[in-house]
Amino acid sequence: MNRCPLDALGNCLAFCPLHERLRCASLARRWHEAVMEPSLWAQLIPEPEDLSSLNSLLRRFGKNVRYLKIASHGPFRLSASLKPEQLSKCVQLEELFLGGFRGRDLESFCQSSFCLESLKSLTIECDPYFNLGSFSHNTGTHMASLPASWLSCFPNLERLAC
């Protein structure tokens, strides 16, 4: 493995879950170099059980993230654990998907004033049964209510889907 090119190691690591990637960094210096390769972190899609370590992941690799998908439901549902300030570490972020919000959580999240100038696409998917405090068991639709002023935090936004 010491002769294996870094980009080949990085391609292999791209198929590993996040917690496995981080574990590989402690195997050897060469593996550590591969894990620290910025291209490995351009797309970040944590599993729901990895959300508890999201802050440390973004602190360490956020500057390399271009696409971030955070989808959670059930016990790993997005709530106060996701702070907008965490996302501000992603200075190159172009696409953001947030799934699993409940109404109150979305309203709280939108109260913040963080800015992501590089963001071009924002998708927010709410938990279908708890939309802004109303129970919607008949339709199951994904609805959201965003304050228009919040969108000014994303001056280059080209696509918004809720």
Side-chain angles (χ1 to χ4, degrees), residues 82-96:
L82 179 66
K83 304 276 190 253
E85 301 79 39
Q86 293 172 304
L87 298 177
S88 65
K89 295 174 178 82
C90 303
V91 295
Q92 296 185 53
L93 188 63
E94 294 177 1
E95 287 186 62
L96 176 61

Side-chain angles (χ1 to χ4, degrees), residues 127-131 134-141 143:
D127 222 346
Y129 298 106
F130 298 94
N131 296 308
S134 62
F135 187 71
S136 173
H137 69 283
N138 291 329
T139 62
T141 58
M143 301 178 294

Side-chain angles (χ1 to χ4, degrees), residues 65-126:
V65 176
R66 294 181 182 273
Y67 175 81
L68 177 60
K69 180 176 182 177
I70 304 172
S72 62
H73 301 283
F76 301 107
R77 181 181 58 81
L78 285 177
S79 62
S81 62
L82 179 66
K83 304 276 190 253
E85 301 79 39
Q86 293 172 304
L87 298 177
S88 65
K89 295 174 178 82
C90 303
V91 295
Q92 296 185 53
L93 188 63
E94 294 177 1
E95 287 186 62
L96 176 61
F97 176 94
L98 299 172
F101 269 116
R102 289 188 179 175
R104 277 178 256 116
D105 300 331
L106 178 61
E107 288 175 338
S108 173
F109 189 82
C110 292
Q111 297 297 324
S112 63
S113 60
F114 73 103
C115 188
L116 289 173
E117 292 189 21
S118 61
L119 193 67
K120 294 180 181 175
S121 175
L122 174 62
T123 302
I124 298 176
E125 185 179 277
C126 287

